[in-house]
């Protein structure tokens, strides 16, 4: 690594509103990053210009001596990079809408449509070729850099980098288990504290929280505090919330999550740690049962609502640049991001643990060492080292392995350009129950998205 004090961080997909703004905030506030370089990359020149202007305003307002670069081509940004973060996607709102709408015609319902089911396979098909192309350029232009995938399906893309670009140092991220927020949330549910402001270092040290699984299909396996298991208290707190919570106005990813968490906990004995996505990984909420269920089938992901959310975010950026919104509002509204927190820890040698998607390496005893899991890791400039979790309970282990197989087949199919493997991935997927329906879904999705897919398709 060129330097661990003032690194160069390249953000490919700087127009990503779910990461670009937070990266700017963190790079200007962290003492370990603010004297480095932030290289913003986006193929959309207008969006890139807006984010670069925002970065310059924030740097000036905070007094950070941060060097800011803007590039349309990642090849121009990569030389000298220490960290390269991937956060791009091909017109993801529109295509996720198509994925969910077309799949629903054949009985597969997705509330998110970007990690499992036909939606996860199609998103990998759209974005993974560019990820692997970028990895090849990283190996050539900045071979000592860490390549951090922040694009869904995170596990598929992370697997593909580990297997098909082994010469590059890489891991994958998702912010659903961002520490310490997730630990504080469970401490409140366990009754150990009433509010996040009561969190302190001694409680952090004594609260043994263990979560493991595949990204978006993770499970709370242990919640010990000074020798006492608080999993029952956490489950009871979620159950109370499920009976009193108002579902009105909730989006597809939030709807009925507490009730579903309770139902899965009753079945498997452990609490889902990412129910907003996990409910999409299991077949129970597809509405295929002969008898009615107290929890209705998954509502489809809302394309229009996501477009509206993006538009509001861009208005904030534009009004901040124009001066209509004070820069102080931006500084107060935003906070660190999972990826930049990890970069700060690696660059500064801070020794903080984070949930990272990486090879199991024995952390979960009854899954393979190369199983690509989301695990609490110690991390430094040498990369992530998973902490031991123990065994995955039976039932959950089987579903975890099926998910891993689906993801690995998807990664291999895209990397090799093999339609038969792509079809096999969909047939292995836990949401598939009909060969004919799955073939129809794949046929219709490939036809509808031809302009966004690799040539071999």
């Amino acid at each position: 690594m060129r330097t661990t004090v003032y690194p160069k961080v390249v953000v490919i997909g700087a127009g990503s509103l779910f990461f670009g703004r937070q990266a700017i905030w963190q790079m200007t506030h962290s003492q370990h990053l603010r004297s480095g370089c932030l290289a913003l990359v986006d193929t959309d020149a207008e969006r890139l210009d807006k984010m670069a202007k925002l970065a310059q305003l924030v740097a000036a307002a905070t007094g950070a001596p941060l060097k800011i670069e803007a590039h349309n081509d990642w090849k121009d940004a990569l030389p000298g990079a220490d960290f390269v973060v991937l956060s791009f996607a091909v017109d993801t709102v529109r295509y996720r809408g198509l994925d969910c709408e077309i799949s629903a015609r054949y009985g597969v319902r997705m509330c998110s449509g970007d990690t499992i089911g036909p939606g996860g396979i199609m998103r990998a098909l759209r974005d993974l070729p560019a990820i692997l192309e970028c990895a090849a350029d990283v190996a050539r232009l900045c071979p000592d850099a860490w390549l951090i995938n922040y694009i869904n399906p995170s596990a598929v893309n992370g697997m593909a980098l580990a297997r098909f670009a082994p010469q590059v140092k890489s891991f994958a991220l998702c912010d659903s288990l961002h520490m310490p927020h997730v630990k504080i949330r469970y401490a409140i549910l366990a009754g150990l504290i009433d509010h996040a402001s009561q969190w302190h270092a001694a409680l952090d040290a004594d609260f043994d929280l263990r979560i493991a699984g595949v990204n978006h299909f993770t499970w709370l396996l242990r919640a010990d505090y000074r020798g006492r298991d608080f999993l029952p208290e956490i489950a009871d707190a979620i159950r109370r919330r499920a009976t009193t919570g108002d579902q009105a106005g909730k989006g597809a990813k939030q709807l009925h999550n507490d009730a579903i968490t309770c139902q899965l906990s009753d079945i498997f004995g452990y609490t889902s740690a990412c129910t907003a996505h996990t409910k999409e990984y299991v077949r129970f909420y597809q509405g295929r049962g002969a008898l009615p269920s107290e929890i209705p089938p998954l509502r489809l992901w809302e394309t229009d609502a996501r477009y509206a959310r993006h538009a509001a975010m861009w208005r904030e950026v534009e009004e901040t640049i124009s001066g209509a919104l004070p820069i102080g509002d931006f500084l107060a509204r935003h906070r660190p991001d999972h990826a930049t927190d990890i970069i700060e820890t690696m660059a500064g040698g801070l020794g903080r643990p984070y949930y990272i998607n990486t090879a199991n390496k024995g952390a979960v005893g009854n899954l393979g060492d190369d199983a690509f899991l989301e695990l609490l890791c110690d991390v430094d400039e040498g990369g992530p080292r998973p902490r031991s979790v123990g065994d995955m309970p039976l039932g959950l282990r089987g579903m975890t392995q099926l998910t891993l197989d689906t993801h690995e087949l998807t990664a291999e199919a895209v990397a090799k350009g093999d339609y038969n493997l792509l079809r096999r991935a969909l047939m292995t997927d836990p949401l598939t129950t009909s060969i004919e329906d799955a073939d129809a879904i794949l046929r219709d999705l490939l036809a509808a998205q031809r302009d966004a897919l690799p040539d071999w398709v």
Side-chain angles (χ1 to χ4, degrees), residues 135-314:
D137 286 332
V138 168
R140 182 171 57 88
L141 298 173
C142 51
D144 292 327
W146 277 99
L147 181 59
I148 302 173
N149 175 73
Y150 213 10
I151 304 171
N152 280 322
S154 191
V156 174
N157 297 333
M159 284 177 174
L161 287 170
R163 180 171 174 184
F164 298 104
Q167 73 278 21
V168 175
K169 300 184 298 184
S170 68
F171 55 84
L173 296 181
C174 176
D175 62 3
S176 59
L177 295 178
H178 190 181
M179 292 285 280
H181 313 300
V182 64
K183 203 169 186 181
I184 294 172
R185 182 170 73 245
Y186 283 117
I188 293 171
L189 289 171
L192 300 177
I193 55 175
D194 297 320
H195 190 271
S197 62
Q198 298 171 323
W199 186 251
H200 53 83
L203 179 56
D204 185 17
D206 290 342
F207 189 32
D208 185 7
L209 188 72
R210 302 193 186 184
I211 297 172
V214 186
N215 176 237
H216 288 169
F217 190 71
T218 49
W219 299 84
L220 177 59
L221 303 179
R222 184 169 176 173
D224 289 353
Y225 179 66
R226 296 181 177 176
R228 177 180 166 187
D229 178 13
F230 277 83
L231 283 178
E233 282 80 3
I234 291 171
D236 287 345
I238 296 173
R239 194 177 308 280
R240 289 193 299 272
R241 197 169 63 187
T243 60
T244 59
D246 183 6
Q247 300 300 307
K250 289 191 174 181
K253 288 177 66 176
Q254 292 76 38
L255 193 63
H256 303 298
N257 284 354
D258 288 335
I260 289 172
T261 301
C262 293
Q263 199 168 58
L264 294 176
S265 178
D266 289 341
I267 294 168
F268 297 107
Y270 296 89
T271 298
S272 167
C274 190
T275 303
H277 284 280
T278 295
K279 64 185 180 183
E280 192 178 59
Y281 276 62
V282 295
R283 58 196 178 276
F284 308 127
Y285 307 105
Q286 292 292 312
R288 298 190 182 117
L291 299 176
S293 169
E294 61 184 81
I295 300 174
L298 294 179
R299 182 194 291 171
L300 299 187
W301 188 76
E302 304 100 337
T303 302
D304 290 342
R306 183 55 67 96
Y307 271 129
R309 188 177 177 189
H310 280 204
M313 291 176 175
W314 276 116

Side-chain angles (χ1 to χ4, degrees), residues 309-336:
R309 188 177 177 189
H310 280 204
M313 291 176 175
W314 276 116
R315 279 196 301 273
E316 180 203 43
V317 171
E318 291 160 358
E319 291 174 359
T320 302
I321 293 170
S322 70
L325 280 178
I327 190 66
D329 287 3
F330 176 89
L331 298 178
R333 185 177 294 118
H334 293 281
R335 289 292 182 270

Side-chain angles (χ1 to χ4, degrees), residues 416-435:
K416 293 182 176 180
D418 189 322
Y419 175 83
N420 289 326
L421 284 176
L422 195 73
R423 181 174 184 254
R424 187 180 304 168
L426 186 55
M427 297 302 171
T428 304
D429 189 283
L431 299 187
T432 298
T433 58
S434 161
I435 294 173

Side-chain angles (χ1 to χ4, degrees), residues 8-28:
K8 179 177 181 178
V9 178
V10 178
V11 178
I12 300 179
S16 167
L17 290 168
F18 292 95
F19 177 65
R21 297 171 304 164
Q22 292 85 342
I24 291 169
W25 191 98
Q26 181 85 322
M27 289 291 293
T28 55

